Amino acid sequence: MSNTALLIVDMQKNCKEETSCKASFEKAVEYINEISQYFRRKKHPVIIIQDVEAGGSETDGFKCVDELIVSDSDFFVQKSFSNAFWETELDTILHREGVDCVVISGFAAEYCVLFTYNGAIERGYNVFLLQNGIAGFSDDEIKRIQLLRSVVSYEAIEYFLKES
């Protein structure tokens, strides 16, 4: 059985303020919370990725949105580029945890989520976007991105991870 990690990209206060699609952001948080709790119960890694452009790590805007459930068992990665693998310890953490598959969720579908998806593929991971767990600047663009990439539902994840 493969080890699968959940990546939660840029679900930060400043990011929520920047988007005009607040409803999709809030809906994505609900789905992310449900699946992250499942990952934690099954002892699969949950990795919170935060963009330093959202403000310094000491600022309120840098922090995860209040609605997002985080745990002491989660890994935290700070990134300076759209691709969360670029010049971060993300790949090292995934290798150390024996991960070969990642489910990507978060903000923004058009930028950081998409670039991180591509970065994971380039590094040889099996990669899926979390259905309904992606927020962005345009609902139409979120749909287009999901049409062209592997997407996995909460129910499918539950089914495939139930044996682990």
Side-chain angles (χ1 to χ4, degrees):
M1 183 68 174
S2 67
N3 193 15
T4 304
L6 176 65
L7 307 185
I8 303 172
V9 178
D10 298 353
M11 295 304 280
Q12 296 163 261
K13 292 180 179 183
N14 274 358
C15 297
K16 183 178 179 182
E17 292 308 310
E18 287 177 11
T19 186
S20 57
C21 296
K22 301 246 188 311
S24 82
F25 196 100
E26 289 165 6
K27 181 175 129 185
V29 170
E30 287 180 36
Y31 276 87
I32 291 167
N33 282 338
E34 286 297 317
I35 202 67
S36 68
Q37 294 290 69
Y38 187 77
F39 268 72
R40 291 177 189 112
R41 282 194 307 274
K42 292 293 185 175
K43 305 288 189 241
H44 286 273
V46 174
I47 303 172
I48 311 289
I49 298 163
Q50 295 170 283
D51 195 327
V52 296
E53 287 184 358
S57 58
E58 302 303 313
T59 67
D60 196 52
F62 178 80
K63 295 176 183 166
C64 293
V65 292
D66 294 333
E67 305 92 328
L68 185 69
I69 297 170
V70 297
S71 168
D72 291 340
S73 65
D74 295 346
F75 295 91
F76 288 83
V77 173
Q78 292 184 16
K79 68 178 181 64
S80 299
F81 300 95
S82 296
N83 176 355
F85 286 91
W86 192 254
E87 296 186 11
T88 70
E89 67 276 13
L90 178 57
D91 198 36
T92 302
I93 292 168
L94 294 173
H95 278 108
R96 188 178 62 230
E97 296 297 311
V99 170
D100 62 1
C101 179
V102 294
V103 176
I104 301 176
S105 64
F107 179 81
E110 307 89 333
Y111 303 104
C112 298
V113 168
L114 181 59
F115 296 162
T116 299
Y117 180 98
N118 292 339
I121 288 175
E122 291 168 353
R123 286 159 181 82
Y125 293 96
N126 294 306
V127 188
F128 299 91
L129 295 175
L130 177 61
Q131 184 180 53
N132 301 315
I134 307 294
F137 292 101
S138 161
D139 289 332
D140 288 341
E141 192 61 24
I142 294 167
K143 289 176 190 160
R144 273 193 288 280
I145 287 167
Q146 290 186 359
L147 279 174
L148 299 172
R149 287 165 190 84
S150 298
V151 176
V152 65
S153 68
Y154 177 86
E155 295 81 8
I157 291 171
E158 275 189 321
Y159 176 79
F160 290 113
L161 296 184
K162 72 180 176 187
E163 297 303 318
S164 59

